Amino acid sequence: MMKKSLAITVAAVLLSACGDKAAEKPAPVVTDTAVEKKASEQVATKLVYPETRQGDVVDEYYGVKVADPYRWLEDDRSEETGAWVKAQNKVTFDYLEQIPYRAQLKQRLQELWNYEKVGVPYTEGEYQYFYKNDGLQNQYVLYRKDADGNEEVFLDPNTFSEDGTTSLSQVSFSKDGSLAAYSISEGGSDWRKIIIIDTKTGKQLGDTLVDVKFSGISWFNNEGFYYSSYDKPQGSELSAKTDQHKLYYHQLGKPQSEDALIFGGTDEQKRRYVSGEVTEDGRYLFIYGAVSTSGNDLYMKDLSKPDSELVTVLDHTDSDTSLLHSEGDTLYFVTNLGAANKKVVIVDAKSPTSENWKDLIAETDNVLAPSVGGGFIFAEYMVDAISKVMQYDMTGKLVREVSLPGVGSSSSLSGKTDETTLYYSFNNYTTPSTIYSFDVNSGKSDVYMASKAKVNSDDFVSKQIFYTSKDGTKVPMIISHKKGLKLDGSNPTILYGYGGFNISLTPSFSVANAVWMEQGGIYAVANLRGGGEYGKKWHIAGTQLQKQNVFDDFISAGEYLISENYTSSDYLAIRGGSNGGLLVGAVMTQRPDLVKVALPAVGVLDMLRYHTFTAGAGWAYDYGTSEQSEEMFNYLKGYSPTHNVKDGVSYPATMVTTADHDDRVVPAHSFKFAAELQAKQAGDAPTLIRIETNAGHGAGTPVSKSIEQYADIFGFTLYNMGVKSLN
């Protein structure tokens, strides 16, 4: 069955169910004209930024010398970098405090955010588990319900730390549900700790496992579990390179120091990412190895025979292949080997290599994401980024199309083989998520839990259009806003994108975006090349020497919004995070005239050195590296945001956002980019950096911090578009 993780569950929780109440309108702001005048004057004059020392570091690539004056900012442990962070935050927050409606935005965000949110339930042992947030709790709480309907708190991460910055990353239960292992993240770090408990008593069993990173937790009976990690790096654990992932087996009752190394300890087995998965019946262990974020080799071990050898299923990384399900010796895999949009195949475990695979659910024109539950396969397809779900029996025979409640995104229908009722959530950009129960035999869906959100979906409209990119490619975009909005080119608009790593942007509800649209804002999401919306070909079309396609798609999306009078350059903002932060950085340096505001978040912004930090080398499949070839170096240098900030150019008003504990995309990317902008900005628009402290790449961010971040982002955006007061 498909594994449940907190990341998946909380995604469903955050998109919680639709309510009937009309949204309350915020009261018109009563502005203090003196404050407004002072703030306007601050915008109209150049800010005084902290002095950022320029060093004399110069690198040479293929005979080309490249200066890196802010290399010292890569040292996240130095006092000088710490002082720089404090000084930058002072300038940024002094500026933000001048925005007259910043507090009103925060208040409205709190009002809309403050409702009970409940996630999709799932069964483990004798209990049904689900995540719930009472409203403004910093972290979602894991509850459980017994057969009589009695509810109790199972794990409350709000008690893990005083400031709410320690989060629950994932929970994994033993087959009978009597034991659980859960991982926690402190301060947003990717490094985790794993704690094992007896689910009946809540008592901790054994010691806490430490220094675990990029890991699942997969139980073998009630005896122990498999997990993955790297050797703790020398130097800074926030930025030092992590390159050799290893799979371990932890046996209950033994110290972590005695954990068995299963895979990844030799030069031959060196992989950047390794994970292990035990089949539902406990018979087989599958081991996945990868050198980048795309493609994996695959091995299996018969756990019923303690001394069994590893069997190679795939000896190459030319596909993304994973176990979907097993029944005795019959294995079900989902793969894009020879099928760019993925398919389901079956094979006998005695001869599992790919030449013996037989198609069970063939590839179609749409991308497949299957799940298993209740003795059926649920094939979810993306049709222009919209969910369509087909139900098959285990022989591959079509049972029915699952009738979804509308146009939008469905979470996976998954569960244990013997369950007859499964649960899923459904939502889109204007409709908060509703949780449905689904009878696997009749195919009937019923509302299981409606949302208590204070948002009326009828107040908004969401429309999918297709625009033409620079090279003639048709690209989908969904545009959402209040009904009755006049398309006169003066609407504040946020254009959001990602465009990478085979990740698809499907419709999802956000309280923050509802607040933005309440104020007359437009929220547009473009499904750029580099993503996974149209399968592997769409992904490849936005990688390495074709990465410019992604930026061209985003630029063309902005030009479409302007040409159709949704907005104009004076009211257009671009936003994206991580790889999307690179997208924003590249577009604002290539087309600074296109937008008024740029919002790059936790971005990959130094393309010549990204692969030297933490797990960055694993992104080479999408980006290539400066060491790969002279051609690749020149291509990366040609768009790397940090290396393409030019003297004498008027850049958009920019607020770079990052976090001091981000060990995925290290904050040095954002530090160096912000320093370049501040040194070279020719216009009067502010170029600020907002650095969240004791936070990471985004996972587990406390609700209180999220609300503050959105208030600052929306306030900065509207203020620099000349908006004087809110609706």
Side-chain angles (χ1 to χ4, degrees):
M1 65 173 261
M2 297 285 286
K3 300 291 188 245
K4 298 247 179 216
S5 72
L6 179 60
I8 294 170
T9 309
V10 167
V13 170
L14 287 171
L15 312 171
S16 282
C18 157
D20 297 319
K21 292 184 180 179
E24 297 175 18
K25 300 292 188 292
V29 68
V30 180
T31 60
D32 182 322
T33 54
V35 170
E36 194 172 277
K37 183 172 184 292
K38 180 180 178 183
S40 299
E41 288 171 353
Q42 181 144 352
V43 171
T45 59
K46 282 193 175 182
L47 288 162
V48 178
Y49 301 108
E51 183 177 347
T52 306
R53 174 176 64 83
Q54 294 194 9
D56 56 5
V57 176
V58 177
D59 294 316
E60 186 169 324
Y61 302 85
Y62 308 98
V64 177
K65 292 184 177 180
V66 180
D68 193 357
Y70 304 115
R71 177 73 61 85
W72 61 272
L73 284 169
E74 292 180 3
D75 186 354
D76 55 80
R77 298 187 300 172
S78 78
E79 290 184 8
E80 187 179 15
T81 300
W84 185 88
V85 167
K86 288 180 181 177
Q88 289 287 347
N89 267 346
K90 185 175 189 314
V91 170
T92 297
F93 285 103
D94 283 352
Y95 178 92
L96 293 171
E97 285 172 6
Q98 305 300 313
I99 298 172
Y101 40 76
R102 179 185 180 217
Q104 187 184 353
L105 281 168
K106 181 178 177 181
Q107 180 182 352
R108 185 56 180 155
L109 283 160
Q110 287 175 330
E111 289 171 356
L112 277 196
W113 217 296
N114 191 14
Y115 66 94
E116 183 183 83
K117 307 164 194 70
V118 180
V120 176
Y122 60 99
T123 301
E124 297 289 352
E126 300 174 357
Y127 294 93
Q128 187 181 74
Y129 290 83
F130 57 94
Y131 289 92
K132 183 167 75 172
N133 190 307
D134 291 343
L136 295 175
Q137 288 175 290
N138 275 323
Q139 303 290 342
Y140 284 76
V141 179
L142 182 57
Y143 286 77
R144 67 181 180 184
K145 184 191 300 184
D146 65 20
D148 296 324
N150 301 309
E151 288 185 12
E152 64 179 348
V153 172
F154 182 65
L155 287 172
D156 183 0
N158 296 292
T159 65
F160 294 173
S161 62
E162 289 186 9
D163 60 0
T165 60
T166 298
S167 60
L168 184 61
S169 301
Q170 64 174 310
V171 182
S172 177
F173 293 85
S174 62
K175 184 178 179 181
D176 66 3
S178 65
L179 301 171
Y182 65 92
S183 60
I184 62 172
S185 168
E186 296 168 312
S189 173
D190 279 334
W191 290 98
R192 308 285 199 248
K193 294 177 179 177
I194 297 178
I195 299 165
I196 306 131
I197 58 173
D198 180 308
T199 60
K200 187 172 184 179
T201 64
K203 182 180 178 182
Q204 182 173 342
L205 304 176
D207 297 329
T208 297
L209 276 61
V210 298
D211 299 335
V212 178
K213 188 172 185 179
F214 295 159
S215 179
I217 302 172
S218 190
W219 282 88
F220 173 62
N221 298 327
N222 283 15
E223 300 172 22
F225 54 83
Y226 295 87
Y227 70 96
S228 311
S229 196
Y230 303 92
D231 293 337
K232 203 65 178 289
Q234 299 296 314
S236 171
E237 68 176 60
L238 295 180
S239 59
K241 192 172 184 178
T242 47
D243 212 30
Q244 186 162 359
H245 217 199
K246 299 175 182 179
L247 180 68
Y248 294 92
Y249 176 70
H250 177 73
Q251 186 168 334
L252 293 189
K254 291 192 175 182
Q256 186 178 4
S257 59
E258 295 183 18
D259 287 352
L261 175 59
I262 305 300
F263 188 92
T266 65
D267 289 341
E268 183 185 5
Q269 293 181 351
K270 183 177 180 181
R271 306 288 188 275
R272 200 160 278 119
Y273 310 107
V274 173
S275 62
E277 177 185 11
V278 179
T279 55
E280 187 177 348
D281 61 7
R283 173 79 182 274
Y284 295 105
L285 167 69
F286 283 86
I287 300 172
Y288 305 88
V291 294
S292 71
T293 50
S294 287
N296 64 275
D297 50 21
L298 183 59
Y299 308 89
M300 62 178 281
K301 181 179 175 65
D302 188 341
L303 296 178
S304 68
K305 302 171 183 176
D307 298 325
S308 64
E309 298 290 325
L310 274 184
V311 174
T312 300
V313 180
L314 283 175
D315 62 359
H316 57 78
T317 59
D318 298 338
S319 72
D320 300 291
T321 299
S322 60
L323 181 74
L324 177 65
H325 183 63
S326 70
E327 287 186 3
D329 286 332
T330 302
L331 307 177
Y332 297 72
F333 293 121
V334 55
T335 183
N336 58 11
L337 184 64
N341 291 335
K342 294 195 174 181
K343 63 182 179 180
V344 175
V345 299
I346 58 170
V347 70
D348 192 304
K350 297 183 186 68
S351 51
T353 51
S354 59
E355 64 268 19
N356 299 312
W357 293 356
K358 295 179 181 178
D359 287 3
L360 187 74
I361 300 176
E363 180 188 18
T364 71
D365 291 336
N366 300 304
V367 180
L368 170 65
S371 58
V372 172
F376 294 93
I377 298 172
F378 295 92
E380 181 183 351
Y381 293 97
M382 269 189 300
V383 183
D384 298 326
I386 305 300
S387 291
K388 178 181 180 180
V389 181
M390 311 299 288
Q391 182 179 358
Y392 292 87
D393 68 18
M394 300 310 294
T395 69
K397 179 184 176 183
L398 178 64
V399 177
R400 63 175 62 89
E401 179 177 352
V402 176
S403 181
L404 296 177
V407 176
S409 301
S410 167
S411 66
S412 296
L413 273 163
S414 63
K416 292 183 169 54
T417 301
D418 59 359
E419 293 181 289
T420 57
T421 301
L422 306 178
Y423 300 88
Y424 68 96
S425 64
F426 187 85
N427 74 124
N428 56 40
Y429 288 118
T430 62
T431 306
S433 177
T434 295
I435 299 173
Y436 292 86
S437 63
F438 177 81
D439 186 297
V440 298
N441 295 314
S442 69
K444 187 172 183 292
S445 290
D446 290 303
V447 174
Y448 175 76
M449 187 164 294
S451 173
K452 298 176 182 177
K454 306 162 188 173
V455 173
N456 185 356
S457 301
D458 292 336
D459 291 343
F460 305 101
V461 63
S462 199
K463 175 184 178 184
Q464 185 176 59
I465 61 91
F466 292 82
Y467 65 90
T468 304
S469 191
K470 184 179 181 180
D471 64 357
T473 300
K474 293 292 184 182
V475 182
M477 175 165 58
I478 297 181
I479 306 168
S480 307
H481 54 78
K482 274 202 307 190
K483 281 183 180 176
L485 197 71
K486 184 185 289 187
L487 303 185
D488 60 3
S490 66
N491 300 303
T493 299
I494 291 177
L495 172 61
Y496 184 87
Y498 187 79
F501 296 91
N502 205 35
I503 290 172
S504 304
L505 298 184
T506 56
S508 60
F509 180 78
S510 158
V511 169
N513 290 335
V515 171
W516 174 258
M517 291 188 291
E518 270 189 348
Q519 298 305 319
I522 293 173
Y523 183 68
V525 178
N527 296 109
L528 315 172
R529 280 175 284 185
E533 289 87 351
Y534 294 103
K536 199 65 178 174
K537 292 178 182 177
W538 192 253
H539 175 208
I540 295 297
T543 62
Q544 297 206 21
L545 296 174
Q546 300 181 93
K547 188 66 178 176
Q548 185 61 40
N549 287 336
V550 185
F551 311 142
D552 289 341
D553 288 355
F554 205 48
I555 289 167
S556 296
E559 291 174 338
Y560 175 90
L561 292 167
I562 292 168
S563 68
E564 296 298 313
N565 269 341
Y566 283 97
T567 191
S568 63
S569 290
D570 286 336
Y571 295 97
L572 179 60
I574 50 175
R575 184 166 184 247
S578 198
N579 174 71
L582 162 62
L583 171 70
V584 172
V587 168
M588 67 176 283
T589 50
Q590 291 182 13
R591 285 291 307 276
D593 61 306
L594 181 66
V595 303
K596 189 71 172 179
V597 177
L599 301 163
V602 293
V604 186
L605 298 161
D606 182 344
M607 297 309 296
L608 300 186
R609 287 180 54 76
Y610 78 86
H611 60 291
T612 66
F613 304 115
T614 59
W619 311 333
Y621 184 95
D622 263 56
Y623 296 148
T625 73
S626 55
E627 299 168 356
Q628 182 175 321
S629 68
E630 185 173 1
E631 181 185 27
M632 197 72 243
F633 156 71
N634 285 321
Y635 194 84
L636 289 167
K637 185 174 181 292
Y639 75 77
S640 176
T642 295
H643 298 92
N644 283 279
V645 181
K646 303 288 195 299
D647 273 318
V649 175
S650 293
Y651 290 101
T654 303
M655 187 163 70
V656 180
T657 52
T658 188
D660 65 347
H661 278 62
D662 189 346
D663 49 3
R664 186 89 52 88
V665 180
V666 295
H669 283 279
S670 296
F671 294 173
K672 292 163 73 172
F673 185 56
E676 290 284 353
L677 284 171
Q678 290 177 357
K680 296 175 179 176
Q681 168 73 296
D684 293 330
T687 51
L688 304 174
I689 181 167
R690 185 189 188 281
I691 305 158
E692 193 70 67
T693 55
N694 204 24
H697 196 60
T701 301
V703 166
S704 58
K705 283 183 182 281
S706 294
I707 288 172
E708 290 170 358
Q709 289 168 3
Y710 277 113
D712 289 348
I713 289 166
F714 291 164
F716 179 86
T717 300
L718 293 169
Y719 196 44
N720 280 281
M721 291 175 176
V723 174
K724 302 296 184 186
S725 62
L726 301 185
N727 292 332

